[in-house]
Coordinates of all heavy atoms in Angstrom, one line a residue:
F1 N -189.9 -54.3 -71.2 CA -189.1 -53.6 -72.2 C -189.5 -52.1 -72.4 O -189.1 -51.5 -73.4 CB -189.0 -54.3 -73.5 CG -188.6 -55.7 -73.4 CD1 -189.1 -56.7 -74.3 CD2 -187.6 -56.1 -72.5 CE1 -188.6 -58.0 -74.2 CE2 -187.2 -57.4 -72.4 CZ -187.7 -58.4 -73.3
N2 N -190.4 -51.6 -71.5 CA -190.8 -50.3 -71.6 C -189.8 -49.3 -70.9 O -189.6 -49.4 -69.7 CB -192.2 -50.1 -71.0 CG -192.9 -48.8 -71.3 OD1 -192.2 -47.7 -71.4 ND2 -194.2 -48.8 -71.5
A3 N -189.2 -48.4 -71.7 CA -188.2 -47.6 -71.1 C -188.7 -46.6 -70.0 O -187.9 -46.2 -69.2 CB -187.6 -46.7 -72.2
N4 N -190.0 -46.4 -70.0 CA -190.5 -45.5 -68.9 C -190.3 -46.2 -67.6 O -190.2 -45.5 -66.6 CB -192.0 -45.3 -69.1 CG -192.3 -44.4 -70.3 OD1 -191.6 -43.4 -70.5 ND2 -193.3 -44.7 -71.1
C5 N -190.2 -47.5 -67.6 CA -189.9 -48.2 -66.3 C -188.4 -48.5 -66.2 O -187.8 -48.2 -65.1 CB -190.6 -49.5 -66.3 SG -192.4 -49.3 -66.3
T6 N -187.8 -49.0 -67.2 CA -186.4 -49.5 -67.1 C -185.4 -48.3 -66.9 O -184.4 -48.5 -66.3 CB -185.9 -50.3 -68.4 OG1 -186.2 -49.5 -69.6 CG2 -186.8 -51.5 -68.5
A7 N -185.7 -47.1 -67.5 CA -184.8 -46.0 -67.3 C -184.7 -45.6 -65.9 O -183.6 -45.2 -65.3 CB -185.2 -44.8 -68.2
L8 N -185.8 -45.6 -65.2 CA -185.8 -45.2 -63.8 C -185.3 -46.4 -62.9 O -184.7 -46.1 -61.8 CB -187.3 -44.9 -63.3 CG -187.8 -43.6 -64.1 CD1 -189.2 -43.3 -63.6 CD2 -186.9 -42.4 -63.9
Q9 N -185.5 -47.6 -63.3 CA -184.9 -48.8 -62.6 C -183.4 -48.7 -62.6 O -182.7 -49.0 -61.6 CB -185.3 -50.1 -63.2 CG -186.8 -50.4 -63.0 CD -187.3 -51.7 -63.8 OE1 -186.5 -52.2 -64.5 NE2 -188.5 -52.0 -63.6
L10 N -182.8 -48.2 -63.7 CA -181.4 -48.1 -63.8 C -180.9 -47.0 -62.8 O -179.9 -47.3 -62.1 CB -181.0 -47.6 -65.2 CG -179.5 -47.2 -65.4 CD1 -178.5 -48.3 -65.0 CD2 -179.3 -46.8 -66.9
I11 N -181.6 -45.9 -62.7 CA -181.2 -44.9 -61.7 C -181.3 -45.4 -60.3 O -180.5 -45.1 -59.4 CB -182.0 -43.6 -61.9 CG1 -181.7 -43.0 -63.3 CG2 -181.8 -42.6 -60.8 CD1 -180.3 -42.6 -63.5
D12 N -182.4 -46.2 -60.0 CA -182.6 -46.7 -58.7 C -181.4 -47.7 -58.3 O -180.9 -47.6 -57.2 CB -183.9 -47.5 -58.7 CG -184.3 -48.0 -57.3 OD1 -184.2 -47.1 -56.3 OD2 -184.5 -49.2 -57.1
I13 N -181.0 -48.5 -59.3 CA -179.8 -49.4 -59.0 C -178.5 -48.6 -58.8 O -177.8 -48.9 -57.9 CB -179.6 -50.3 -60.2 CG1 -180.7 -51.4 -60.3 CG2 -178.3 -51.0 -60.1 CD1 -180.7 -52.2 -61.5
L14 N -178.3 -47.5 -59.6 CA -177.2 -46.7 -59.4 C -177.2 -46.0 -58.0 O -176.1 -45.9 -57.3 CB -177.1 -45.6 -60.5 CG -176.8 -46.2 -61.9 CD1 -176.8 -45.0 -62.9 CD2 -175.5 -47.0 -62.0
K15 N -178.3 -45.5 -57.6 CA -178.5 -44.8 -56.3 C -178.1 -45.8 -55.2 O -177.4 -45.4 -54.2 CB -179.9 -44.3 -56.1 CG -180.1 -42.9 -56.9 CD -181.5 -42.4 -56.5 CE -181.7 -41.0 -57.0 NZ -183.0 -40.4 -56.6
K16 N -178.6 -47.0 -55.3 CA -178.4 -48.0 -54.2 C -176.9 -48.4 -54.1 O -176.5 -48.9 -53.1 CB -179.3 -49.2 -54.4 CG -180.8 -48.9 -54.2 CD -181.6 -50.2 -54.5 CE -183.1 -49.9 -54.3 NZ -183.9 -51.1 -54.6
N17 N -176.2 -48.2 -55.2 CA -174.8 -48.7 -55.2 C -173.8 -47.5 -55.4 O -172.7 -47.7 -55.8 CB -174.6 -49.7 -56.4 CG -175.4 -51.0 -56.2 OD1 -174.9 -51.8 -55.5 ND2 -176.6 -51.1 -56.7
S18 N -174.3 -46.3 -55.1 CA -173.4 -45.1 -55.1 C -173.7 -44.3 -53.9 O -174.9 -44.3 -53.4 CB -173.7 -44.3 -56.4 OG -173.4 -45.1 -57.5
T19 N -172.7 -43.5 -53.5 CA -172.9 -42.6 -52.4 C -172.7 -41.2 -52.9 O -171.6 -40.8 -53.3 CB -171.9 -42.8 -51.2 OG1 -172.1 -44.2 -50.8 CG2 -172.2 -41.8 -50.1
P20 N -173.8 -40.4 -53.1 CA -173.6 -39.0 -53.6 C -172.6 -38.3 -52.8 O -172.7 -38.2 -51.5 CB -175.0 -38.4 -53.5 CG -175.9 -39.6 -53.5 CD -175.2 -40.7 -52.7
I21 N -171.6 -37.7 -53.4 CA -170.5 -37.0 -52.7 C -170.4 -35.6 -53.1 O -169.5 -34.9 -52.6 CB -169.2 -37.8 -53.0 CG1 -168.9 -37.8 -54.5 CG2 -169.2 -39.1 -52.4 CD1 -167.5 -38.3 -54.8
L22 N -171.2 -35.2 -54.1 CA -171.0 -33.9 -54.7 C -172.0 -32.9 -54.1 O -173.2 -33.2 -53.9 CB -171.2 -34.0 -56.2 CG -170.3 -35.1 -56.8 CD1 -170.7 -35.3 -58.3 CD2 -168.9 -34.7 -56.8
K23 N -171.5 -31.7 -53.9 CA -172.4 -30.7 -53.3 C -172.7 -29.5 -54.3 O -173.4 -28.7 -54.0 CB -171.7 -30.1 -52.1 CG -171.3 -31.1 -51.0 CD -172.5 -31.9 -50.5 CE -172.1 -32.9 -49.4 NZ -173.3 -33.7 -49.0
K24 N -172.0 -29.6 -55.4 CA -172.2 -28.5 -56.4 C -173.5 -28.6 -57.0 O -174.1 -29.7 -57.2 CB -171.1 -28.6 -57.5 CG -169.7 -28.3 -57.0 CD -168.7 -28.3 -58.1 CE -167.3 -28.0 -57.6 NZ -166.3 -28.0 -58.7
D25 N -174.1 -27.4 -57.4 CA -175.3 -27.4 -58.2 C -175.0 -28.0 -59.6 O -174.0 -27.7 -60.2 CB -175.9 -26.0 -58.3 CG -176.4 -25.5 -57.0 OD1 -176.8 -26.3 -56.2 OD2 -176.4 -24.3 -56.8
F26 N -176.0 -28.7 -60.1 CA -175.8 -29.3 -61.4 C -176.0 -28.2 -62.5 O -176.8 -27.4 -62.4 CB -176.8 -30.4 -61.7 CG -176.6 -31.2 -63.0 CD1 -175.6 -32.2 -63.0 CD2 -177.3 -30.8 -64.1 CE1 -175.4 -32.9 -64.2 CE2 -177.1 -31.5 -65.3 CZ -176.2 -32.5 -65.3
F27 N -175.2 -28.3 -63.5 CA -175.4 -27.4 -64.7 C -175.2 -28.1 -66.0 O -174.4 -29.1 -66.0 CB -174.4 -26.2 -64.6 CG -172.9 -26.6 -64.6 CD1 -172.2 -26.7 -65.8 CD2 -172.3 -27.0 -63.5 CE1 -170.9 -27.1 -65.9 CE2 -170.9 -27.4 -63.5 CZ -170.3 -27.4 -64.7
F28 N -175.8 -27.6 -67.0 CA -175.7 -28.2 -68.3 C -174.7 -27.4 -69.1 O -174.8 -26.2 -69.2 CB -177.0 -28.3 -69.1 CG -178.0 -29.2 -68.4 CD1 -179.2 -28.8 -67.9 CD2 -177.7 -30.6 -68.4 CE1 -180.1 -29.6 -67.3 CE2 -178.6 -31.5 -67.9 CZ -179.8 -31.0 -67.3
I29 N -173.7 -28.0 -69.7 CA -172.7 -27.4 -70.5 C -173.1 -27.5 -71.9 O -173.1 -28.5 -72.5 CB -171.3 -28.0 -70.3 CG1 -171.0 -28.0 -68.8 CG2 -170.3 -27.3 -71.1 CD1 -169.8 -28.8 -68.5
K30 N -173.4 -26.3 -72.5 CA -173.8 -26.3 -73.9 C -172.7 -26.3 -74.9 O -172.7 -26.9 -76.0 CB -174.8 -25.2 -74.2 CG -176.1 -25.2 -73.4 CD -177.0 -24.1 -73.8 CE -178.3 -24.2 -73.1 NZ -179.3 -23.2 -73.4
K31 N -171.6 -25.7 -74.5 CA -170.4 -25.7 -75.3 C -169.2 -26.1 -74.5 O -169.0 -25.5 -73.4 CB -170.2 -24.3 -76.0 CG -171.3 -23.9 -76.9 CD -171.0 -22.6 -77.5 CE -172.0 -22.2 -78.5 NZ -171.8 -20.8 -79.1
P32 N -168.4 -27.0 -74.9 CA -167.2 -27.4 -74.2 C -166.2 -26.3 -74.1 O -165.9 -25.6 -75.0 CB -166.6 -28.6 -75.0 CG -167.1 -28.4 -76.3 CD -168.4 -27.7 -76.2
E33 N -165.7 -26.0 -72.9 CA -164.7 -25.0 -72.7 C -163.4 -25.7 -72.2 O -163.3 -26.0 -71.0 CB -165.1 -24.0 -71.6 CG -166.4 -23.2 -72.1 CD -166.8 -22.2 -71.1 OE1 -166.2 -22.1 -70.0 OE2 -167.8 -21.5 -71.3
I34 N -162.5 -26.0 -73.1 CA -161.3 -26.7 -72.8 C -160.3 -25.7 -72.3 O -159.9 -24.7 -73.0 CB -160.8 -27.4 -74.0 CG1 -162.0 -28.3 -74.6 CG2 -159.6 -28.3 -73.7 CD1 -162.5 -29.3 -73.7
T35 N -159.7 -26.0 -71.2 CA -158.7 -25.1 -70.6 C -157.5 -25.9 -70.3 O -157.5 -27.2 -70.3 CB -159.1 -24.4 -69.3 OG1 -159.2 -25.4 -68.3 CG2 -160.5 -23.7 -69.5
N36 N -156.4 -25.3 -70.1 CA -155.1 -26.0 -69.7 C -154.8 -25.8 -68.2 O -153.7 -26.0 -67.8 CB -154.0 -25.4 -70.6 CG -154.1 -25.9 -72.0 OD1 -154.5 -27.0 -72.3 ND2 -153.9 -24.9 -72.9
Q37 N -155.8 -25.4 -67.4 CA -155.5 -25.2 -66.0 C -155.2 -26.5 -65.3 O -154.6 -26.5 -64.2 CB -156.7 -24.5 -65.4 CG -157.9 -25.4 -65.3 CD -159.1 -24.7 -64.7 OE1 -159.3 -23.5 -64.9 NE2 -160.0 -25.4 -64.0

């Protein structure tokens, strides 16, 4: 029940069951910018 292990185990499971398809650099959005585009 130590999150230091289980948090990374979760990511490992997601990686094994997902195929990364995104090429964009990751960015953190500090404020939502809602557009109507």
